Amino acid sequence: MASVSKVSILDYFNIVFEGENGKIESNCKACGTRIQAKRSVTSNFVTHLKRKHPVMYDDFVKRKDMKREGYSSASLHSFTNGGSTRHALPISAGVGGGSVGGMATLEGGVGGGSGGGITKFDKHDPRQVLISEAIAKMIVRDLQPVSIVGNQGFKELLQLLEPRYTPESQRYIQSQLLPAYAYQAQLATHQALASAQALSLSLDLWTGSCAAASGYLGVTCHFLSSDWQMHSSLLACLPLTGGSSGSRVLVDFEEVCHSHGVSGRAFRVVADPVSATTLATTKRPCCLPGFLVPPLHSNGHYGSDEGMMDNDEDTKRGIRNGHGECGDEGGRDESWEQSLGVSRVDCFSRSLEECIRVGLSSCIQISSTLTKAARFYNYITSAVPPEKLSQVFDGLMTGGSENNSHVVWDWAAQLKVLRRLLDSMDFLEEMSGPGEMALDGADRALLRELSDTLEPFTEAWDMVHGDRGSEIQADRHVSISLALPCVLGLRKHLSETSTPHCPPLLLGLSQAVERFLAPILENPLYIAATTLDPQFKLTWSSNPDWHRQVLIEELSKYSTASSPVDPNTDLHTQSQTLPVPAPSPVSSLSRPCKLFSFIKQRPATQAKSLEQELAVYLHEEPTDEEALHYWCRKAIDFPLLTQVAKRALTIPACGTVVERIFTMAAHLLLPERGCVLPKNLETLIYLKANHRLLWT
């Protein structure tokens, strides 16, 4: 065999730093880009060459192929004489125990017989690295247990698709590959946060019934980048111990903020009070009573397996942004409110969902009628051909239909299905045939009344959450500027609505809105955020003069120059004052000189006060321009208002990505799937929430 020198992807990079645990920093020899990774995980280097320097990448692949050719002539000899099976594993055809279709099994590896041997990829071969990365990506995106790589069927699939690939061990993926990706995501997050203009945080808690761990704490950062783009990134997913209380969670939260350099920078923290004795348990989303929800698959999709669950009790439970039941006034740990103080903001979408829960539970008659409608719905989805159902439920969930298993089953989605059901009742009854499950006139009238009453709530939910049926949108951001107009619209709708078939529904919804949402109308922060949204300004106000005064007082809190940071100052009090905008560079034309004496000098402009900026801003007509794009364009005209707007608009109105991932992850901790260790799940949740930082 000819001598072939070792080929390494690092040949194309200059190592400038090498730290503990194999961490290295290298500069690309072609463009000088700094790449950070572990020596044992070289996918970053391979990906950089492939994307930025295709010629160098092709050269690398050719060199690797030459090396394999040098080894191939001795591959069988190497294996049979104790050589490394990782580098040279012949796959025999036709003979060998357990072989299928002429291919030897992975365990057999060598089964006598004729045919040339196949040389396995080297550990650093680009093809080997890319396949391993794809497997890790699949595990993360679908929240699959790492043990899947040890399944015989999975190994045989890899053998069929790429016989030269050497499957990575579960231990390697679990202890090296996934942590390396997590490290890369942390580096990317740190770099992005370092240049962030403004940011807010969200707290998410999840506790499950698994005895191995009582739950997890998720801290998400919503930040405005230097190019005026909103991003969200999960900073940490930490396990909660069995004795975790609100104060203990706060300590963990402070540590996360400090380690990521956001202490004192967060404008607001979206987190509601949590009970000191019972943390919120992750269940299914709020659903209409009586509807059957298919079990949650590991990829976060609801399917149609056995074990369908009734939602009569689920309407009273659900995941929370740092709190248990909203209506539970007892047992709260006041340390949440005392420590976060004015920095805490309730999650608007959670408050909206709580209004739906209260409204539905206030009318027993609705529960029984919805149960009857759900039975009819489940009957027709099993009895009517899918092609007929698509005429009615096109684009919506259809129960057992695999084609629509991607739709999230929450109350808003179910209400849309119910509305389609009522609109096409005659057609569906004709298709399914006569039966006792059909809804009578009184049932239809009650359900139509429910649908019409909740329609504005559905519109508000959709504006906040977007397309829940699509893939998780990590960077989709809806600010709290939308909250106040939504509350005004809901109050107006309820005041003009009558529910003769079910008066308790209207009463329950009205009381819930006054309890959970009405305080927003007098909150100066929401008034400022909505007014600084150019599509609203003060067009929503019934008393513009009063709201203008409230707005000036609120904006004045943040328009003064910031004082030096005291290291002993509380975490969030530092963020209450805004820095004075840096002066813009001055052109040489503004300096008087003989050369340009013929040019008429412009009069010196005086800086506008906050009141003057606000007056000019409100005098302009509202525009449909996206809020952040508007303030980026108007930063020179309204420097003081811009400083406040870009911070207020970082506060999210909806839940976080990790909140939805927590719901998906609950399936992984079921007893029958106990192969996933809590530490592994922590890493998977973190990577799934931040996978866009790694794989675009």
Side-chain angles (χ1 to χ4, degrees), residues 503-576:
L505 171 65
L506 184 61
L507 178 61
L509 287 173
S510 299
Q511 292 176 345
V513 168
E514 293 303 314
R515 180 181 181 185
F516 300 114
L517 297 179
I520 290 176
L521 302 179
E522 299 180 0
N523 190 316
L525 175 64
Y526 286 88
I527 294 174
T530 302
T531 306
L532 293 177
D533 190 327
Q535 67 175 319
F536 296 122
K537 297 194 175 183
L538 280 178
T539 56
W540 51 271
S541 176
S542 59
N543 191 350
D545 293 336
W546 182 79
H547 282 118
R548 184 181 286 106
Q549 186 60 37
V550 172
L551 184 62
I552 292 175
E553 294 177 0
E554 180 69 10
L555 297 179
S556 298
K557 299 177 183 178
Y558 314 115
S559 61
T560 58
S562 58
S563 57
V565 176
D566 182 356
N568 297 321
T569 306
D570 180 74
L571 168 68
H572 304 288
T573 55
Q574 301 174 22
S575 62
Q576 300 308 309

Side-chain angles (χ1 to χ4, degrees), residues 190-445:
H190 275 278
Q191 293 175 357
L193 291 178
S195 59
Q197 299 189 62
L199 59 91
S200 293
L201 301 172
S202 289
L203 261 173
D204 291 285
L205 290 176
W206 169 58
T207 57
S209 58
C210 178
S214 60
Y216 292 90
L217 164 69
V219 181
T220 303
C221 184
H222 316 275
F223 61 95
L224 182 65
S225 63
S226 57
D227 59 350
W228 286 83
Q229 298 296 318
M230 277 300 304
H231 302 280
S232 292
S233 178
L234 178 63
L235 301 186
C237 178
L238 304 177
L240 298 175
T241 60
S244 293
S245 62
S247 58
R248 177 65 238 178
V249 171
L250 273 176
V251 172
D252 293 337
F253 171 65
E254 299 275 352
E255 292 178 353
V256 171
C257 292
H258 179 74
S259 63
H260 287 79
V262 296
S263 294
R265 298 176 59 194
F267 184 62
R268 287 294 186 271
V269 179
V270 181
D272 294 337
V274 98
S275 170
T277 55
T278 55
L279 295 175
T281 300
T282 299
K283 296 296 181 184
R284 292 165 182 267
C286 173
C287 301
L288 300 184
F291 267 76
L292 298 177
V293 176
L296 187 68
H297 293 330
S298 59
N299 60 359
H301 302 158
Y302 291 98
S304 57
D305 283 335
E306 298 177 357
M308 305 278 276
M309 297 180 61
D310 198 307
N311 288 312
D312 288 333
E313 293 299 323
D314 281 343
T315 57
K316 303 176 183 178
R317 298 174 294 191
I319 191 170
R320 292 287 184 270
N321 281 68
H323 65 81
E325 292 301 322
C326 287
D328 182 12
E329 295 295 338
R332 283 183 174 178
D333 188 348
E334 297 298 331
S335 62
W336 281 90
E337 296 187 10
Q338 294 173 359
S339 298
L340 296 179
V342 296
S343 294
R344 184 183 60 80
V345 176
D346 289 341
C347 180
F348 172 70
S349 67
R350 288 296 146 216
S351 299
L352 180 64
E353 186 179 46
E354 194 62 26
C355 292
I356 299 298
R357 283 195 176 92
V358 173
L360 293 176
S361 62
S362 64
C363 186
I364 301 177
Q365 181 184 1
I366 284 183
S367 297
S368 59
T369 306
L370 280 172
T371 301
K372 188 175 181 180
R375 289 173 180 169
F376 177 71
Y377 169 72
N378 287 301
Y379 170 72
I380 62 173
T381 53
S382 61
V384 178
E387 58 272 15
K388 297 293 184 180
L389 283 179
S390 62
Q391 302 178 25
V392 178
F393 301 110
D394 184 33
L396 296 176
M397 54 187 175
T398 55
S401 174
E402 296 179 359
N403 295 332
N404 292 278
S405 62
H406 64 280
V407 182
V408 177
W409 283 52
D410 55 30
W411 67 270
Q414 291 178 336
L415 193 65
K416 294 174 185 177
V417 169
L418 179 63
R419 193 175 293 119
R420 295 280 187 93
L421 192 72
L422 294 173
D423 293 340
S424 307
M425 185 62 68
D426 295 337
F427 171 76
L428 293 174
E429 287 182 347
E430 179 182 350
M431 293 300 303
S432 61
E436 298 179 357
M437 293 186 181
L439 302 175
D440 57 29
D443 294 331
R444 298 187 191 186

